Amino acid sequence: MLPESHEYFMQQALKEAQLAFDADEVPVGAGVVMNHKIIARGHNQVELLNDSTAHAEILALTSAYSSMGSKYLPDAVG
């Protein structure tokens, strides 16, 4: 599997989902990719953080915005 393929990035999201599952969370994982590199990832942490908005996608996006120092990610895919 090539490290720049869609399958590779999906496999990484599934690894995040496994982390959620192992923590008794709903098993969902997400990643944000820019220029063929993962710039952020996340998994559900609703129970851990006692926060109904702590979904994988939101956590991954928040991390991506922070790491890029921007509120927009026009070249990113998730």
Side-chain angles (χ1 to χ4, degrees):
M1 185 172 348
L2 296 173
E4 295 182 357
S5 69
H6 292 287
E7 291 84 6
Y8 171 79
F9 295 126
M10 182 56 72
Q11 189 67 23
Q12 297 305 303
L14 290 171
K15 287 181 181 181
E16 286 294 317
Q18 184 65 51
L19 293 174
F21 179 82
D22 293 344
D24 292 325
E25 298 277 356
V26 174
V28 176
V32 179
V33 176
M34 192 176 329
N35 298 323
H36 306 286
K37 295 188 185 209
I38 298 171
I39 63 168
R41 38 178 103 219
H43 57 274
N44 278 358
Q45 296 183 45
V46 171
E47 301 302 325
L48 174 69
L49 301 176
N50 196 31
D51 179 351
S52 61
T53 67
H55 289 252
E57 305 89 328
I58 300 301
L59 296 175
L61 283 170
T62 300
S63 177
Y65 296 136
S66 178
S67 70
M68 299 306 291
S70 176
K71 61 182 177 179
Y72 301 109
L73 301 169
D75 298 322
V77 296

